[in-house]
Every structure is written in structure tokens, then in C-alpha cells.
Amino acid sequence: MGDVLAHESELLGLVKEYLDFAEFEDTLKTFSKECKIKGKPFSKTAGGCLRDPRSPAVQQELLAAFEGGDQKVFFRLWEEHVPGAVRDEDALVQKLEFYLHIHFAIHPLKRGAGRPDKRELDERISYFRSFLETRGTALSQTTEFLPFYALPFVPDPRAHPSFKELFQDSWTPELKLKLEKFLALIFKASNTPKLLTIYKENGRHNKETLQRLHQQLVEAERRSMTYLKRYNKIQADYHNLIGVTAELVDSLEATVSGKMITPEYLQSVCVRLFSNQMRQSLAHSVDFTRPGTASTMLRASLAPEKLQDVPLLPSLDYEKLKKDLIWGSDRLKAFLLQALRWRLTTSHPGEQRETVLQAYIGNDLLDCHSRPQRSVLQLLHSKSEVVRQYMARLINAVASLAEGRLYLAQNMQVLRMLEARLKEEDKDVVARENMLGALQKFSLRRPLQTAMIQDGLIFWLIEELREPDCLSDYMLEYAVALLMNLCLRSAGKNMCAKVAGLVLKVLSDLLGHENHEIQPYVNGALYSILSIPSIREEARAMGMEDILRCFIKEGNAEMIRQIEFIVKQLNSEELLDSVLESDDDEDEDEIIHLRGQLTGSWLACSIMYRKSPVKNRVVSQDHRAAAGKLRMGTSTFIWAQEDHDTMEADLDKDELILPQLGELSGEKLLTTEYLGQGQQLRKALCLCSTPMVLTNSHQAVSARRSSMWLFIPPAPLDGDAQCSTLGTPATQEAEAGGLQLLIS
């Protein structure tokens, strides 16, 4: 009974806390009075999260101390009301606190035009130095804050170029705005009643648990079927092996008695032994009586299994698919977009994936070839967050393949829509990641590169990269890689020259970022833009060489070599060559691709050119120079001769929707509701006025790779004694490859 009373007391405390939070004042009074009459006390611990009536007052005191420069009052309140765990573990809070210390340290210098009180200034600088030696050491390896560790030793910070930003009129108001947002967030978080938190977490947990269990059940059923098939095959092989072994033992015993083993007997035993490893007809065709044949095949069967010929996926009814993508419910749209993406990302690289992509392109899945009034592309502007995200994921997946990029590049509207949505989308992180990922892959194609530069995407990227800690790793890496790709073009460099100071500051800050994957891209962008004389002058004025040499001391050998080449570029006096502008005038059909391909921790920067059927394009000196510069004498920047199509795992991460009980999804949804074999058959019969004839198995393989329909005549045609008929190796090869055969 005591245990029940203890829980009851805690529950009453939670109810009281919520009523107070929701401002049910009369209800709270009645509730408290009735509890008192019945002798039911409130739990003391339950009220621990009750709203602090002093919260608004504390916020006002902190802001007043900030504006008045009252350092002692501010940091006393800061330490009392901001939890220690938040101050010690949250990187953004640590940065805010660092800038707050700078604000109070230089406050006397910003109060007026006259000379500040030396005693007060020395006291504040001493306090700031003490902070740098204690809590401030956490940021001592961050490039963004590195110059400020010299602040206590500079006689007049106002005259030093490294601290020019601190004394601009906008710096203090911007810092105050960040402080206000943080205080509102921290006090609001502490006011949330425990009962509401329990309700939210429990409801979300139950839903997520149910969906996760259902998904696990589906996966378990799929795995169990796979394992059952494997078990049945192993069991059959085992029984067959035992039978063959028994016969071989009998044969050995007979040999001891002087009876000889005939070649026909050996052949029959070996055929039985290998019947499960190869087709029956092929097993009969192997001459096992030849010495060493059977033993060699047995040993080979123990070797790792080679890749099998992967069957092609069944064709789909794309007209029905596109109709449902446009007019279906948001949930159906999301499941279809997910299934179409999975069909591409989970297909086997090579023929199977190429066939899937060619089917998408041939049926104009994304309406890039046509301009209908309502198109699938417009799903990027859907009111449903899930549909928008899944559309962005599908475009990113298609853009991961060279042929997919070529398809998407034919409609400039795709690029414009992605740019617009990327700038408007502020809630869905995964959607933004996929939009940016697609744009980075688009930047491998010259026409799209040109359009992105003209649209001012470089300026947007610079703004986003000003606060890299607010970006996910995926966003950060692809944003920097895209920036580097655009900076390789002379038009991109000229855009950077318009905001040279900001670009250089952002890139120098990124040099010391904890995500080392971005370093090659940052180095490539820096080296490229420093070919512009005006940017070099700005870099020298801000002390870029000193910043770079800090990283030479700390970096690895590869990083050091790259930085040394950047320093050499910074100190060069090379004038801007007029040939830099020539690359903007070349034909788009015979372009030179400058690629920055994300592949793990290294960057492939290559310059390639395609030979035109009419003439060969001569590679411009500008691009040859860019290629040599990008290599910078280091293996990190290498020549890439081939276009690598990669499907990153992030395309399928953090799925938003899971099928409910009885709901179809993935390949099962496509093959159950949208199978297109009947429609394809009608099209083949109507359109193929000259049916293709199979004459041998080689033609069958070639036709299968082209996804063609085949016409098998009932008897050999005149003048062709080798024409294929049913049952011949050609038709068997065709059927094994999943070909659709039209039998007359």
C-alpha cells in the first residue's frame, strides 16, 4: 500500500505541474484544495521541473548586463542558470560563450572615441586571458578562434586587421541576437512539464516500436525464406553426396577383388555428382573420363563462387506509374518514389542497374523530355514533406549515374527547381542533403555548372558555410565540393572576387574544421581562386599566409604539401591570363569536364574532353593549366580517366515511412500493381514490323542486353539452316536471361 501511495503522490505532483504550466489557475486551486482535504500530499521531486517565475527576469538581467558591459554580473548569472552540461558539451554554446568573453574584453574600446580607462581595460583583458587558459582551451585548435588567442597581447586591437570585424557596427547586435535566441531556447526547454514529456515520448515510442517490429517481421520472413531455400539445397546436395560416396566405396572394394571400373560407370557417377552444380545437359556433355577433370571441378567448387549473371528486373507500366505519381494520395506517391529509388539503389551494378536506368529514361519517368501541364517534377513543390524529400532522394539517385545526369541535364527546369527548393527548405535536413547532393553531381556537367554560377549559387554556398557546425556532415562535404567545382571555372572565380574577403574567411575557417573529409575540397577551392590577383591581394592583407603556416605545423604530410602549394600560389605575381575567359565560349556538346567527385576521403579532380564525331576539340591552355595546378604535386589530386558511378548509402538512410500491416512497398508494390509485361507485349506486336530472329545463343545474349523482344519462328526460314527454333541453345539462353519470346 505504501508503494501505491508513493506513486500516487508523484502522479499528483505531475498533474499539478501541468496545470500550472497550462495556466489553469482556478482548476489548480480546486485541485490543490481537494488534495489537501483528502490528505494526499504532492511529491516534492515531481515539482522540480515547475516553471521558474524568475525566468523572464533572469533573461532581462542577462541582456542588460550584456548591453552595459557588466562582465561580473553577466557571467555570475550565466553560470547559475545555464546548466554546466550544456556549457561543457554543446559546441555551439562554447562558441557563443567565447564570443561573449571577447565582447566584454573589448567593451571599453567600443564605448567612445576617446581613450579607454587603462585600468579597467587591463582588468578585462586579464580576465579574458584567464578564460583562454582555462575553459577557452577547448577551442584552441579551431581556426575560427585561433587569431583571438593573440588578442590579449595586441596593444591596440582596433588597428589590427585580424580584429577589424569585431569593431564593425553590426558585430555587437548580431551577437546579442544570438544570445537572445539561446536564452529563449534554454529557458523554454527547462519549462516543459514532465507529464507532457512522458506523453510525447510514450506515444512516439509506441508508434516507432510498432513500425520497427513490423519491419523486422517482414525482414525476418524474407531472410527465413532465403535460409530455407539454402537449407533445402544443402540437404539435397548432402543426400546426393552420401549416395555417390557409397557407390565409390563399393567400386573401391570391387577393384580390390580385381574388377575394373568402366569409363561409362565413372561418367555416370560424375554426372550425378555435379548435377546440382550445373544444368543436366551440360553435365552430360563434360568428359569426366579424361584424367583430372572430375578432381579439378571438385576443387573449383570449393573456391569462392563467381558472380552469376544477374536476371533483369521485370518491366513496369510507366504510364500508370506516372499517373499515380501525379494524381495519387501523398502516401501512395511517397511509397512509389521510395520503390523507384530502391529499384535503382539496390540493383546490381552493371547490366541490371543500367537496364533500370534506361527504362526510367526511355519512359521519361521525371518528364525531362516533355513539358506537361502537371509533371512528376512538380512533386518537389508538394505540400507533403515526405513527398518532397522522397522526390529529392530519387533525383539524387538518378544524378549519381552518368547517364542519369545526362538525362536530367536536358531539362534546365530540374536545376532551377532544385535551387529554389534548396533555398526554401528550412526544416527537412535529409531533403536539403539530397537536393544539394544532386546539385553537386550536376556540377560535373558544364552547362549546369554555367547555370549555377550565373544563378549566384556560389554566394548561397558561402553564406551556408559561414556556420559549418550547423550543417550535417553530408551537407558540409557536398557544399564544399560543389563550391570547389564552381570555383574551378573562371566565371566562378570572378564571382568569388566580388566577395573576396568573405570567401577567404570562410575557406580559412574551414581549413581547421574537425571534418577532415572536406580538406582536399577547401584546398582546391583556395588554390583555384588565388589565381585571381585581386583575391591574392585581399588574402595577403588579412594575413592568410600566417594562417596557412599554422596548418603546416599541425597537418599530415599530404596536407602540408597541399598547403605549401597554396602558399606558393598566394605569393606568386602571375597576372590574370586572358585565356581564362575562353572556357566560357566553348560549345557545350564537346565540353571539357572539370570534376570534383566525392569518393571517401580523397578527391578526384580530372580534366577530360570528348571527341566529337565531326572534329576533335583542342583542350584549352586554361584547362591544361588548371589540371596541373589542381594536382599541386600531390597524389591527393589525381587524374581520373573514367567516370565512376557511385551510389552512396545515404540515399536510403532514415526512411520516413514504413508499410503498415497489409500495405505493399518496394519492389513488391511495383511488381504487384504496376507490372508492364502485357503492355510491353502489345507495343512489341504493334511496333515491330520486322521481328528479330534468333540464329544463335550469341544473338540471344546481345538481344537480352538490349532488352529487345524476340520473334522465334516455328521452323527454319528459307536459306538459313541455323535459324533458331524452340528447344535449341539460343532459345534456352534467351529464356535463362529472362527474355520475352513471341512464339508464332
Side-chain angles (χ1 to χ4, degrees):
M1 187 67 181
D3 185 52
V4 174
L5 290 175
H7 285 291
E8 184 184 47
S9 175
E10 185 177 356
L11 182 60
L12 292 173
L14 294 175
V15 173
K16 181 177 183 295
E17 178 190 14
Y18 180 76
L19 292 174
D20 180 55
F21 172 80
E23 298 181 355
F24 289 104
E25 296 178 359
D26 295 338
T27 306
L28 179 60
K29 290 178 182 178
T30 304
F31 178 71
S32 301
K33 182 179 178 181
E34 190 170 353
C35 287
K36 187 174 181 181
I37 292 172
K38 293 185 176 182
K40 297 181 180 292
F42 297 108
S43 170
K44 294 181 180 180
T45 56
C49 295
L50 290 176
R51 180 169 48 185
D52 185 357
R54 292 188 64 248
S55 293
V58 172
Q59 293 183 55
Q60 291 300 321
E61 288 180 39
L62 280 164
L63 292 173
F66 174 85
E67 291 180 344
D70 195 338
Q71 182 174 259
K72 294 181 180 178
V73 172
F74 182 89
F75 284 111
R76 176 177 58 79
L77 293 171
W78 179 267
E79 292 173 4
E80 286 179 4
H81 296 281
V82 179
V86 175
R87 289 187 286 119
D88 294 338
E89 298 173 9
D90 193 307
L92 292 177
V93 177
Q94 289 178 343
K95 291 186 176 184
L96 176 61
E97 186 176 1
F98 196 104
Y99 281 121
L100 288 169
H101 275 279
I102 294 175
H103 164 74
F104 287 109
I106 64 174
H107 189 268
L109 298 172
K110 303 180 72 172
R111 272 195 304 225
R115 296 188 64 179
D117 185 306
K118 189 176 185 305
R119 182 177 178 182
E120 180 188 3
L121 181 60
D122 289 344
E123 183 181 340
R124 288 174 179 268
I125 292 296
S126 176
Y127 188 84
F128 181 56
R129 187 187 299 125
S130 175
F131 165 75
L132 294 178
E133 294 171 353
T134 52
R135 291 182 56 78
T137 56
L139 298 173
S140 61
Q141 302 300 316
T142 306
T143 313
E144 180 182 351
F145 297 97
L146 204 56
F148 300 123
Y149 285 83
L151 181 62
F153 309 99
V154 176
D156 187 2
R158 291 174 293 188
H160 199 283
S162 297
F163 309 124
K164 179 173 61 176
E165 182 184 2
L166 302 178
F167 296 94
Q168 293 179 356
D169 294 338
S170 61
W171 189 81
T172 302
E174 288 177 359
L175 180 61
K176 182 184 176 183
L177 183 62
K178 291 180 180 178
L179 176 62
E180 288 175 340
K181 289 182 178 179
F182 169 71
L183 292 177
L185 184 66
I186 199 73
F187 283 113
K188 182 180 179 181
S190 63
N191 292 338
T192 305
K194 192 174 181 181
L195 187 62
L196 182 60
T197 303
I198 293 173
Y199 173 77
K200 285 182 177 179
E201 290 181 352
N202 190 49
R204 188 187 307 116
H205 176 72
N206 287 342
K207 185 178 180 180
E208 290 175 353
T209 301
L210 184 61
Q211 290 179 335
R212 186 172 65 253
L213 289 174
H214 177 61
Q215 189 69 16
Q216 289 175 354
L217 178 61
V218 172
E219 288 295 319
E221 289 177 349
R222 184 183 61 80
R223 286 196 302 269
S224 67
M225 290 299 295
T226 302
Y227 295 147
L228 183 60
K229 290 178 182 178
R230 291 180 184 176
Y231 167 75
N232 290 335
K233 185 178 183 303
I234 292 172
Q235 188 179 48
D237 287 343
Y238 172 74
H239 290 161
N240 183 49
L241 186 60
I242 291 297
V244 171
T245 304
E247 287 196 25
L248 289 175
V249 170
D250 290 340
S251 300
L252 286 173
E253 291 178 350
T255 304
V256 172
S257 304
K259 294 181 180 179
M260 298 296 294
I261 297 177
T262 64
E264 292 75 18
Y265 174 75
L266 179 60
Q267 179 76 15
S268 65
V269 170
C270 289
V271 166
R272 287 177 54 200
L273 185 61
F274 291 102
S275 60
N276 287 337
Q277 276 70 41
M278 59 183 71
R279 292 198 299 270
Q280 192 77 16
S281 58
L282 185 58
H284 280 287
S285 65
V286 177
D287 183 10
F288 290 107
T289 61
R290 190 172 58 193
T293 301
S295 60
T296 301
M297 293 184 67
L298 279 172
R299 292 187 182 95
S301 67
L302 298 176
E305 189 174 332
K306 294 183 179 180
L307 292 176
Q308 300 292 320
D309 193 16
V310 180
L312 302 181
L313 295 173
S315 59
L316 303 175
D317 185 345
Y318 286 94
E319 289 184 11
K320 182 182 178 184
L321 257 173
K322 291 170 68 173
K323 181 179 178 182
D324 285 351
L325 280 171
I326 294 172
W327 302 105
S329 66
D330 285 340
R331 187 166 180 83
L332 175 60
K333 292 176 184 177
F335 273 120
L336 286 176
L337 291 170
Q338 182 189 61
L340 290 167
R341 167 168 48 88
W342 282 353
R343 182 172 254 233
L344 198 57
T345 58
T346 61
S347 59
H348 291 270
E351 184 180 356
Q352 190 184 67
R353 180 170 290 168
E354 289 170 7
T355 306
V356 172
L357 181 62
Q358 288 304 322
Y360 289 179
I361 296 172
N363 291 279
D364 197 13
L365 177 63
L366 300 179
D367 291 326
C368 290
H369 293 150
S370 57
R371 299 289 192 278
Q373 188 173 2
R374 296 200 59 169
S375 71
V376 176
L377 279 175
Q378 291 172 350
L379 294 179
L380 276 175
H381 294 297
S382 171
K383 294 180 180 179
S384 168
E385 180 180 318
V386 180
V387 173
R388 289 199 308 271
Q389 181 190 123
Y390 277 30
M391 185 62 193
R393 288 185 189 233
L394 179 59
I395 292 176
N396 193 14
V398 174
S400 298
L401 305 174
E403 289 297 322
R405 290 192 289 275
L406 180 61
Y407 167 63
L408 294 169
Q410 295 175 11
N411 188 343
M412 202 59 74
Q413 185 185 4
V414 182
L415 174 66
R416 306 295 186 210
M417 294 177 75
L418 281 173
E419 289 178 334
R421 282 308 315 164
L422 180 61
K423 295 172 183 178
E424 294 171 8
E425 193 70 59
D426 54 356
K427 294 180 181 179
D428 192 339
V429 175
V430 177
R432 296 185 82 222
E433 288 180 350
N434 281 275
M435 292 171 190
L436 182 62
L439 288 174
Q440 193 275 334
K441 293 159 188 172
F442 281 5
S443 71
L444 308 186
R445 300 200 61 81
R446 184 195 185 84
L448 300 178
Q449 246 186 13
T450 302
M452 283 187 267
I453 294 171
Q454 293 173 348
D455 293 343
L457 193 60
I458 286 178
F459 301 136
W460 182 87
L461 289 168
I462 291 297
E463 284 299 320
E464 288 294 306
L465 292 171
R466 290 181 73 176
E467 297 187 8
D469 291 329
C470 297
L471 303 176
S472 66
D473 286 342
Y474 188 101
M475 279 286 290
L476 178 60
E477 291 170 20
Y478 274 78
V480 181
L482 175 56
L483 177 63
M484 190 208 72
N485 281 1
L486 301 182
C487 287
L488 296 178
R489 294 283 299 281
S490 57
K493 298 173 193 176
N494 291 331
M495 283 287 185
C496 291
K498 296 178 181 180
V499 286
L502 179 59
V503 174
L504 289 168
K505 184 179 185 306
V506 168
L507 290 175
S508 62
D509 289 346
L510 290 172
L511 280 172
H513 197 274
E514 59 187 9
N515 187 341
H516 299 296
E517 300 292 326
I518 68 173
Q519 287 181 354
Y521 316 126
V522 176
N523 293 343
L526 262 178
Y527 191 92
S528 183
I529 65 174
L530 286 174
S531 64
I532 304 292
S534 61
I535 298 180
R536 287 203 299 269
E537 291 176 10
E538 183 73 25
R540 291 166 188 164
M542 66 180 288
M544 176 65 75
E545 184 172 353
D546 293 336
I547 295 173
L548 291 170
R549 294 204 179 278
C550 289
F551 293 101
I552 289 180
K553 297 176 183 177
E554 300 175 1
N556 55 38
E558 195 66 47
M559 179 75 165
I560 290 171
R561 283 199 296 273
Q562 293 178 23
I563 297 295
E564 286 173 345
F565 275 90
I566 296 174
V567 171
K568 186 177 180 181
Q569 175 81 310
L570 174 65
N571 293 324
S572 70
E573 299 298 332
E574 184 180 326
L575 295 177
L576 185 65
D577 196 335
S578 60
V579 77
L580 285 173
E581 299 305 321
S582 66
D583 66 330
D584 293 321
D585 301 324
E586 295 182 7
D587 296 337
E588 292 178 348
D589 293 335
E590 306 165 76
I591 61 177
I592 299 164
H593 295 284
L594 287 163
R595 300 209 317 270
Q597 183 80 7
L598 279 168
T599 53
S601 61
W602 58 276
L603 170 68
C605 292
S606 70
I607 292 185
M608 332 174 33
Y609 69 98
R610 294 183 178 179
K611 293 184 178 179
S612 166
V614 181
K615 61 180 179 178
N616 293 341
R617 167 69 59 186
V618 178
V619 183
S620 72
Q621 294 178 2
D622 174 35
H623 289 97
R624 282 204 186 100
K629 290 173 182 176
L630 282 173
R631 291 172 66 208
M632 298 198 298
T634 163
S635 60
T636 299
F637 292 85
I638 67 171
W639 292 95
Q641 296 296 331
E642 298 177 2
D643 192 7
H644 297 282
D645 290 337
T646 58
M647 284 280 184
E648 62 263 31
D650 296 273
L651 289 168
D652 295 329
K653 74 174 184 180
D654 301 334
E655 297 287 354
L656 289 179
I657 57 170
L658 292 172
Q660 297 177 354
L661 296 174
E663 202 169 20
L664 297 176
S665 67
E667 190 65 19
K668 195 168 185 180
L669 170 63
L670 296 178
T671 54
T672 302
E673 301 292 338
Y674 300 93
L675 203 60
Q677 289 183 349
Q679 183 182 8
Q680 293 283 6
L681 176 59
R682 288 193 298 274
K683 286 183 179 179
L685 289 171
C686 295
L687 300 177
C688 295
S689 58
T690 307
M692 177 177 175
V693 178
L694 272 178
T695 58
N696 52 50
S697 60
H698 176 72
Q699 286 189 0
V701 175
S702 300
R704 175 165 57 83
R705 288 176 178 165
S706 303
S707 300
M708 296 179 64
W709 286 86
L710 305 181
F711 177 81
I712 308 299
L717 300 179
D718 293 339
D720 190 351
Q722 293 184 350
C723 181
S724 172
T725 57
L726 293 178
T728 63
T731 56
Q732 291 172 358
E733 183 70 37
E735 290 166 344
L739 285 170
Q740 310 296 331
L741 304 180
L742 306 185
I743 312 300
S744 64

